[in-house]
Amino acid sequence: MRNNLSISFLIFAFMFFISCGQSEEEKVQSEAEKIKESMSEMEKEAQNRQKSFEQMGEALTEGKKVETIDFRELRNLLPESLSGMKRTNATGEKTTSFGLSISHARGDYSDEEGTKSIDIDITDMGNMAGFAGMAMYAWAFGEFDRETDSGYEKTTTFKGNRAFEKFDTVNNSGTLSVIVGKRFIVQVEGYNVSMAEIKDAAGSVDMSKLDSWKDYGIEK
């Protein structure tokens, strides 16, 4: 009798173990399915987001394809030095994302004492040139003139190009931004300098060369 009970107990225990094992396996499979479904949803969301970015890129570029100027060419337009300042760094890069392509170069300048500095940025807007690209600069389409006790900002022209200048008379710091050929942006920022020095720095960039590149790489 005892042997029969022992065998029955063992059989019951074995069946219970198998049942529990199947239950755990089903749970694992269920969790795996949930993870798979979640990843699928995330992938769809990522694809939709990328599509939205691409559509936005097409709207901003007006469907144009433009090969930007090599950033090395832009970097070559940076002067070796400015009046009383040496170039401490010169960098360049090209970035392409969601159909938007931009080429950029930057030069940093400072005096020996490190008391004043000027930065020059030259940017090829590439396929964002024209109305879409200039829309990023509100001053490109209107007139603006504002003055306070601590400085001023206004639209102007520089070497025949649309420009915007801003200066803080308290900190002696300012910015001059110039649009060349409706494609290139030359921006000069100065710290502890005069606006005259900022304009001299901007004038050291060959803007006529930039203007000659305004139709470069445009797919017609």
Side-chain angles (χ1 to χ4, degrees), residues 156-163 176-178 198-200 202-203 207:
T156 184
T157 57
F158 186 81
K159 292 185 177 294
N161 300 293
R162 185 74 172 165
L176 176 66
S177 301
V178 186
I198 291 175
K199 289 183 177 181
D200 284 343
M207 296 189 186

Side-chain angles (χ1 to χ4, degrees), residues 1-217:
M1 184 70 175
R2 277 183 188 175
N3 288 338
N4 289 337
L5 288 173
S6 297
I7 292 171
S8 296
F9 178 77
L10 288 172
I11 292 173
F12 175 78
F14 179 71
M15 295 300 292
F16 180 77
F17 175 78
I18 291 176
S19 175
C20 289
Q22 289 176 338
S23 178
E24 288 300 320
E25 184 179 351
E26 288 174 355
K27 287 181 181 179
V28 171
Q29 288 179 345
S30 177
E31 289 300 321
E33 287 297 324
K34 288 180 180 179
I35 293 173
K36 186 177 180 181
E37 289 177 5
S38 178
M39 291 180 67
S40 179
E41 288 299 321
M42 290 173 64
E43 185 177 352
K44 287 180 181 178
E45 185 178 347
Q47 289 175 347
N48 290 334
R49 188 179 295 112
Q50 181 175 353
K51 187 176 181 180
S52 296
F53 278 125
E54 289 174 350
Q55 289 174 341
M56 181 181 69
E58 288 180 4
L60 288 173
T61 62
E62 301 173 354
K64 293 183 297 185
K65 291 185 179 180
V66 179
E67 177 64 28
T68 58
I69 295 291
D70 189 324
F71 69 81
R72 297 171 185 83
E73 294 291 341
L74 298 180
R75 192 171 58 185
N76 288 338
L77 296 182
L78 296 170
E80 290 288 339
S81 63
L82 301 175
S83 179
M85 295 187 192
K86 291 183 179 181
R87 193 173 72 191
T88 59
N89 192 35
T91 61
E93 63 180 4
K94 176 182 177 179
T95 57
T96 301
S97 180
F98 301 110
L100 305 178
S101 183
I102 293 175
S103 188
H104 171 259
R106 176 186 176 94
D108 302 323
Y109 305 81
S110 66
D111 62 355
E112 292 184 358
E113 294 77 18
T115 57
K116 60 182 183 178
S117 64
I118 285 179
D119 302 323
I120 300 178
D121 289 275
I122 307 173
T123 303
D124 178 2
M125 300 296 288
N127 54 0
M128 284 187 67
F131 181 83
M134 296 309 101
M136 298 173 62
Y137 302 89
W139 50 267
F141 299 101
E143 298 296 329
F144 184 77
D145 192 357
R146 179 171 177 266
E147 189 172 320
T148 67
D149 290 338
S150 60
Y152 70 88
E153 49 189 321
K154 65 179 181 178
T155 52
T156 184
T157 57
F158 186 81
K159 292 185 177 294
N161 300 293
R162 185 74 172 165
F164 178 79
E165 63 179 270
K166 181 178 180 179
F167 195 76
D168 186 327
T169 55
V170 176
N171 299 315
N172 287 326
S173 62
T175 303
L176 176 66
S177 301
V178 186
I179 297 175
V180 183
K182 296 182 180 180
R183 172 170 175 171
F184 301 93
I185 304 294
V186 177
Q187 181 166 296
V188 181
E189 294 185 74
Y191 307 91
N192 200 29
V193 295
S194 65
M195 179 51 74
E197 289 175 292
I198 291 175
K199 289 183 177 181
D200 284 343
S204 67
V205 176
D206 190 347
M207 296 189 186
S208 61
K209 184 68 173 179
L210 286 175
D211 189 65
S212 70
W213 287 339
K214 63 185 177 184
D215 295 323
Y216 173 86

